Amino acid sequence: MKRAHKLVSEYMEKVGSRYTMQKKAIVDELCKVKTHFEVDDFIVKMHQKDNDFSRATVYRVIKQLLEGGFLQKINTKDGKVFYEQNFGDKLHDHIICNNCGRIQEIKDDLVGDLLDKYCLKINFEADYRSLHIYGLCDKCQKKA
Amino acid sequence: MKRAHKLVSEYMEKVGSRYTMQKKAIVDELCKVKTHFEVDDFIVKMHQKDNDFSRATVYRVIKQLLEGGFLQKINTKDGKVFYEQNFGDKLHDHIICNNCGRIQEIKDDLVGDLLDKYCLKINFEADYRSLHIYGLCDKCQKKA
DNA sequence: ATGCATGCAAACTTTTTGCAGATCA
DNA sequence: TGATCTGCAAAAAGTTTGCATGCAT
């Protein structure tokens, strides 16, 4: 928890932005959430903490955190947008079930390694990636 | 060109949908475009062909083509949405430059193979994937 | 004290939807 | 013929922005 604050506050300083109450509150909440979430649900949560917390602020801070690499964006096939916090760990790649909507991580370092190698080969300096695989999860296959 | 029509018309029949004039016109245009494009630009093009071509129809057909796997969706980090046609070929993975916006394909079958293997391992029946890597391309690195 | 950040509301962008009429099978 | 598709316009959803005020440094 402390760690996330430290990371973000250092980042904010680096980019010449203040580490305000609202940003701290958002980082706190992100530490609790851990898994992927929708902006709207997140806004509701922030409202519960503080009725004056504004929609605009959440969007503004999310944008900053995304730029800083503290958040990862997940686009589902049907156009929904999720975010997932990522304080200092590796990026996550995701597998999304079209039927039940379950999102699971790809747990295989080979994937990341291979992509890193590829970027090196073509001389591309990667700073972010988004990998989503859609289909039917094992449970939903059985149902169908 | 014929091939795309055949593929789409068969798909439409399969899902119980008509292959209308508008859909044909969209498929024709997609065959011409080849590279990635934004919905809005595409709508402008369709308008030029036919002033009555409606925004709604483009969205409706794009949605169907996406479901049929004839279109691939590309989400850029800053929230833009591109599409790319894909009539029967393999999916494309993309590398996107944050600076100049250039989008290039990942040309390496190993990536796809590895992901396929992973899905097999966890028993996930994949039907689509979206892989985007963001960063600085070689040219923009030199500039910076 | 100064200027950046916030809250609010309005604006904007992108996408969806209801309806009446046209169209495909 | 009859159900589906289209165009239109309005609505909905998602996100951004201008402005006055508040707060961090």
Side-chain angles (χ1 to χ4, degrees), chain B residues 62-89:
Chain B
I62 279 182
K63 186 173 250 180
Q64 277 194 303
L65 293 176
L66 195 67
E67 279 161 7
F70 300 114
L71 276 180
Q72 225 184 126
K73 195 172 183 176
I74 307 175
N75 296 284
T76 69
K77 205 177 171 181
D78 58 346
K80 285 204 184 113
V81 175
F82 290 86
Y83 288 93
E84 182 172 287
Q85 61 107 308
N86 178 247
F87 293 114
D89 299 330

Side-chain angles (χ1 to χ4, degrees), chain A residues 54-133:
Chain A
S54 92
R55 215 172 175 67
T57 298
V58 174
Y59 275 106
R60 284 189 274 236
V61 175
I62 279 183
K63 186 174 249 182
Q64 278 195 303
L65 294 176
L66 195 67
E67 278 161 9
F70 300 115
L71 277 180
Q72 223 184 128
K73 196 172 184 176
I74 306 176
N75 297 285
T76 68
K77 204 176 170 183
D78 58 344
K80 286 207 183 109
V81 175
F82 291 87
Y83 288 94
E84 183 172 286
Q85 61 107 310
N86 177 248
F87 293 116
D89 299 331
K90 266 190 222 154
L91 283 175
H92 293 161
D93 303 311
H94 294 99
I95 292 188
I96 303 166
C97 179
N98 292 330
N99 188 246
C100 67
R102 182 159 69 109
I103 300 182
Q104 48 185 316
E105 278 173 40
I106 297 184
K107 286 167 189 148
D108 187 344
D109 290 338
L110 286 179
V111 176
D113 292 348
L114 185 60
L115 294 175
D116 289 345
K117 259 182 232 159
Y118 186 81
C119 288
L120 209 61
K121 199 174 74 184
I122 65 162
N123 193 34
F124 186 86
E125 194 181 309
D127 65 9
Y128 181 80
R129 92 168 165 261
S130 142
L131 166 52
H132 310 145
I133 299 178

Side-chain angles (χ1 to χ4, degrees), chain A residues 77 94-104 132-144, chain B residues 116 118-129:
Chain A
K77 204 176 170 183
H94 294 99
I95 292 188
I96 303 166
C97 179
N98 292 330
N99 188 246
C100 67
R102 182 159 69 109
I103 300 182
Q104 48 185 316
H132 310 145
I133 299 178
Y134 305 89
L136 278 184
C137 70
D138 48 356
K139 283 172 196 158
C140 289
Q141 283 172 52
K142 278 170 203 155
K143 280 184 213 156
Chain B
D116 289 345
Y118 186 81
C119 287
L120 209 61
K121 199 175 75 185
I122 66 164
N123 194 32
F124 186 85
E125 193 182 309
D127 66 9
Y128 182 80
R129 90 170 167 261

Side-chain angles (χ1 to χ4, degrees), chain B residues 98-112:
Chain B
N98 292 330
N99 188 246
C100 67
R102 183 160 67 110
I103 300 182
Q104 48 186 314
E105 276 173 42
I106 298 183
K107 286 167 190 149
D108 187 345
D109 290 339
L110 285 177
V111 176

